[in-house]
Amino acid sequence: MNVTHLECAACGLCHEAQGLLNLCRECGKPLLVRYDLAPAERTLRRDSLQGRRPDLWRYREVLPVRNDENIVSLGEGWTPLLPLRRLGRQLGMKELYVKDESQNPTQNFKARGMAVAVSMAKELGAKKLAVPSAGNAGGALAAYAALAGLECFIYMPKDTPQANIVECEQTGAHVTLLDGLITDCGAEIGKRKDAEGWFDVSTLKEPYRVEGKKTLGYELAEQLNWKLPDVIIYPTGGGTGLIGMWKAFDEMEQMGWIGAQRPRMVTVQSEGCAPIVRAFEAGKRFADEFPDAATVASGLRVPRAIGDFLILDALRTSGGTAVAVSDRELISATAEIGAAEGLFCAPEGAACLPALRKLLESGQVERDEQVVLFNTGAGVKYVEVFGD
Ligand SMILES: Cc1ncc(COP(=O)(O)O)c(C=O)c1O
Ligand SMILES: [Zn+2]
């Protein structure tokens, strides 16, 4: 176990990596896990990865669980990096890829974060877990909590895709639907958690989901033979995947696996909920709450994200950007990707395609660059969105 401590991502305060922690006790911002990478590096080597288990636990030395017995796994991670040949040709690009996260348990990338968070919660003795969710995180928590034998409480907006609600119920979760947004769901959990004895596993209010998501970055590097792409386009809600990948790149550099070069990180949001795009354009380090948030891409309906400054820092440091696309664009992109490449993407993932088009048109991405899109989930959970 190579964890040394948890460090506040804003004020830098060290917290002992013991017990169930949420936010920084001084400033209330997210905590990030820090490792002693020297011992990790001794056994975790680029050339020793071949033959390791085909899931995210292949990077065991840089994951926080102490005791292997506490690992709660459904085979999450190690998803394919697929070439988008036909779309690439149409766009005049040679190296366009998609990291297909729909091939995870619970059909999306939330499985990564929840596998690690639930394993840690089990290790640290939590009995009841609670989460506000746009849909997919709830489904993933329900599955891993069931496997771990923990009780879980999920608060979702009442207009969350039906498949998400049904999957939570069918995997034994207690589901509450609220007339509001994910931020209202989070506030309700905040109010009730002490009296109920719940451990809050909200994204980035809990330090270990981001550790699961960071494996996206390790996998990408491994699958591209230790050379990162020029550009990463990522549909951003709470931003945990983007923040996690950014952290993974730093860890890999410290272990000498990659150099200082970073991909340009691009956030995609829907025009109906684009707080990060607004803050990026306004040159702000923190994002204002986005009023009247509305988009069919429910995972992007996050009007305020606690990790906003971490997302914005990564976009700026990497020379990346933030792009908004309309719901019309992202829905028609779902059918376009489906017909061209045989992938039925989540609308959040499909949003990467119109974003890429805009970046090609404005010259912010060159046609000969290597670009990776993130399909974060499966379209099949959103059947009502594609109904008309
Ligand atoms: C399919 C899908 N894509 C993207 C997101 C946004 O993810 P993140 O919180 O990592 O920005 C979500 C979050 O709910 C999602 O379900
Ligand atoms: Zn702090």
Side-chain angles (χ1 to χ4, degrees), residues 8-13 15 24-31:
C8 174
C11 77
L13 188 73
H15 295 61
C24 172
R25 64 170 174 268
E26 278 302 316
C27 75
K29 294 290 185 194
L31 298 174

Side-chain angles (χ1 to χ4, degrees), residues 18-40:
Q18 269 171 11
L20 293 160
L21 295 182
N22 286 116
L23 295 166
C24 172
R25 64 170 174 268
E26 278 302 316
C27 75
K29 294 290 185 194
L31 298 174
L32 296 176
V33 183
R34 298 298 178 206
Y35 297 83
D36 183 355
L37 293 171

